[in-house]
Amino acid sequence: MKKILIGFIAIGLLTFVGCEKDDDTDTTETSSDDGSTGSDTGSDEKIAQTSQGRLDNGEEPIDIFQTGFPVDSLLGKTYKGGLIAYLDTLDGKGLITTPIDQGEFEWQMAKSTCANLILGGYDDWYLPSKEELDKLYLSKGLIGGFTSGRYWSSSENTTNDAWGQYFSDGKQNLYNKYVSNYVRAVRAF
């Protein structure tokens, strides 16, 4: 009885390990002239590529998405000077954010800090709009590095107030521009 039980456990483990596939992995097979299958390099080995590996090889996020990778496998990945924060799956445009906050500033200094930022070889960073800031909030778990405090957006309401968002609960509110809030720069791609 003991040998049968151990046999079932071993078979179960082999089956579980053999069927496991990471959501961030894609294996590509190609056929050779003789009808055999192999990897896309022509060898008999299969090559698994992650979404980060494909980005590093110069592929565009929309192209990776269109080959079956979920959007979540792209969010938080390093790309064009920062981390992917949003991808529009219809037109391929998106949003990149910095890996860390730029600090805590009053609104005008927040805008200036983002506009003057040079990071990853890019100098087109800016303070996100109210809508873009919400995209950061929705992806914060995949991006990482956010506090639970308030973040500034570039969206103004009056000469004295601008929109900000709490990253603890996602609520957006108006704040006096002389209040200090956290700042996270973005750039479009």
Side-chain angles (χ1 to χ4, degrees), residues 39-174:
S39 70
D40 57 352
T41 62
S43 69
D44 291 332
E45 298 176 6
K46 291 181 179 178
I47 296 179
Q49 291 190 340
T50 64
S51 55
Q52 184 63 65
R54 291 177 69 179
L55 290 165
D56 292 345
N57 286 333
E59 287 189 63
E60 296 293 322
I62 190 66
D63 296 332
I64 297 169
F65 167 75
Q66 290 173 341
T67 62
F69 279 77
V71 170
D72 285 356
S73 74
L74 295 162
L75 300 180
K77 300 297 188 271
T78 304
Y79 183 66
K80 294 191 176 185
L83 304 175
I84 298 174
Y86 172 75
L87 174 65
D88 185 325
T89 58
L90 297 177
D91 65 10
K93 294 179 181 178
L95 200 59
I96 296 171
T97 189
T98 59
I100 60 171
D101 294 340
Q102 279 53 69
E104 202 171 357
F105 305 105
E106 294 177 3
W107 186 78
Q108 191 59 49
M109 182 58 79
K111 282 184 61 174
S112 177
T113 298
C114 293
N116 293 317
L117 181 65
I118 299 173
L119 181 66
Y122 295 89
D123 63 359
D124 57 348
W125 298 94
Y126 60 92
L127 189 62
S129 69
K130 179 181 172 187
E131 293 77 17
E132 291 169 329
L133 186 61
D134 194 50
K135 288 176 179 22
L136 294 183
Y137 171 76
L138 294 172
S139 300
K140 71 178 183 171
L142 296 169
I143 298 167
F146 290 98
T147 72
S148 60
R150 295 184 310 230
Y151 284 81
W152 277 124
S153 82
S154 62
S155 303
E156 296 179 80
N157 184 53
T158 67
T159 56
N160 295 322
D161 299 318
W163 287 94
Q165 185 165 359
Y166 266 108
F167 270 50
S168 60
D169 61 11
K171 290 183 182 174
Q172 293 188 329
N173 294 302
L174 291 170

